[in-house]
Amino acid sequence: MNSMLFGGLFGSLASLPVLIAYWVGVVAWAKAGRTPGWWCMLIGVMLSTLGMVLAVVSMFLVFPIMAPGPSAPSSFSHLAVWMTVTGGFSGLGSLLFAIGFAIHAFRARRVGDRVTDLETIIAAQNEQLSRQVP
């Protein structure tokens, strides 16, 4: 049972750097503007963080319940439901973050395409002006 607890804690600690990187990115992007993609990513990071915190808390709270006894089977079913719900928070958060990231990527691509178009127009105007001036 202790190995399951330590394994769960190790898994949570292993995902902590990714979650920190998500938070750093969302906070840095907030200074550039709060677009719909940013809001989607923020909600996703918040749900992922909530799921990880609830998973760690539930490990400490429910492992004493798993001790053998008359109420172990019903307690174990509650544990399974609880772990599924907390995993769902993390999964939903990751999905929302990915959707927000995709929205951001499409917007960045549109901006890049527009910059390329404007640079082409400016180059054409400069060429036209250079032909007109003797």
Side-chain angles (χ1 to χ4, degrees), residues 116-130:
T116 302
D117 291 344
L118 292 174
E119 287 173 348
T120 304
I121 291 170
I122 290 172
Q125 286 177 343
N126 285 336
E127 185 178 329
Q128 185 69 23
L129 287 174
S130 68

Side-chain angles (χ1 to χ4, degrees), residues 54-66:
L54 287 177
V56 170
V57 167
S58 67
M59 280 187 265
F60 283 110
L61 293 177
V62 290
F63 272 109
I65 294 175
M66 291 181 57

Side-chain angles (χ1 to χ4, degrees), residues 26 38-49 92-93 96-97:
V26 167
W38 180 83
W39 284 107
C40 195
M41 290 173 67
L42 177 69
I43 292 169
V45 168
M46 290 170 64
L47 283 175
S48 292
T49 303
L92 180 61
L96 283 173
F97 186 87

Side-chain angles (χ1 to χ4, degrees), residues 29-30 32-42 100 103-104 107 110:
W29 190 14
R34 293 187 169 112
T35 62
W38 180 83
W39 284 107
C40 195
M41 290 173 67
L42 177 69
I103 291 169
H104 170 65
R107 183 172 181 249
R110 280 195 319 264

